[in-house]
Amino acid sequence: LDSEDPIIMNALGLAKSRCGDYKKADELLRNAHKITLVHNNNFLSSTKNKIISGASLAENLANWAENFIKNRNYEDAEAKLKEALELSQEVIDLDKDDVKSLDLLRDIYRKTGFFYKRINQYDLAIEYFQKVIVKRPKRYRESKDTITAAIQLAKILHSKQK
């Protein structure tokens, strides 16, 4: 096994993330992503591998943010969510039709909406939940995300009216 292979680093980073070792996962995933972005090898620098490495890093950041939220470290949670959103958008820019990347972006929007709802910043929560909604969902995941966001929006708007 080549310790400088971004595919192996990415896989190990994902495993670390699933085990809750977000810091080590972040280190591995950032290194893998960096290699993928600058490598001259056609396979390693392919759009597909750039999408995979960027999405993996964004997913880890979002999961790390959830861990910070559980520990009431809202400042670090917000920073991780913002970085995850930025990376997710970069991944979408590589392929606007990649379904998994679109699902990830909506998932991070949803997590960000819940974050702002939790810290009572309802206007920001509304903004992010609105971004989750798919106008004409075609897949189950899109429908589920849309319904979840719509319910949260209704709860926030209902509580604001009281």
Side-chain angles (χ1 to χ4, degrees):
L1 294 174
D2 182 3
S3 64
E4 295 299 312
D5 184 336
I7 296 170
I8 293 171
M9 292 169 74
N10 195 68
L12 183 56
L14 289 172
K16 292 284 186 185
S17 182
R18 284 187 199 106
C19 292
D21 190 354
Y22 303 111
K23 188 173 183 173
K24 183 64 178 174
D26 185 67
E27 179 185 320
L28 289 163
L29 293 168
R30 281 185 195 281
N31 287 337
H33 189 57
K34 186 171 142 185
I35 291 169
T36 303
L37 292 176
V38 299
H39 211 283
N40 291 330
N41 178 314
N42 285 339
F43 176 72
L44 293 179
S45 63
S46 71
T47 300
K48 178 182 176 184
N49 281 317
K50 289 177 184 175
I51 289 170
I52 291 168
S53 67
S56 297
L57 182 53
E59 185 178 356
N60 181 62
L61 289 165
N63 291 337
W64 199 357
E66 284 187 313
N67 188 56
F68 281 131
I69 292 167
K70 287 177 189 171
N71 294 314
R72 296 192 169 129
N73 183 344
Y74 299 128
E75 187 177 319
D76 286 340
E78 185 175 32
K80 298 298 180 200
L81 284 168
K82 285 182 178 181
E83 189 177 359
L85 284 168
E86 188 178 302
L87 273 165
S88 293
Q89 193 56 60
E90 288 174 15
V91 168
I92 297 290
D93 291 344
L94 291 171
D95 183 356
K96 296 186 185 332
D97 297 322
D98 184 61
V99 175
K100 288 184 179 184
S101 298
L102 292 168
D103 288 346
L104 176 63
L105 181 62
R106 275 195 321 279
D107 189 48
I108 296 171
Y109 280 146
R110 182 184 52 77
K111 288 177 180 182
T112 306
F114 277 113
F115 166 73
Y116 284 122
K117 182 180 175 192
R118 181 171 182 153
I119 63 171
N120 301 322
Q121 291 190 19
Y122 297 116
D123 290 338
L124 285 171
I126 289 169
E127 179 184 328
Y128 283 99
F129 282 129
Q130 286 175 332
K131 291 179 181 185
V132 174
I133 294 176
V134 178
K135 295 197 189 296
R136 287 186 175 81
K138 294 178 181 154
R139 298 173 21 265
Y140 171 76
R141 173 79 187 263
E142 293 171 340
S143 297
K144 180 182 165 200
D145 291 346
T146 298
I147 291 168
T148 300
I151 289 169
Q152 293 306 313
L153 283 167
K155 286 180 178 181
I156 292 169
L157 294 172
H158 179 69
S159 70
K160 284 180 88 173
Q161 287 182 341
K162 288 185 177 181

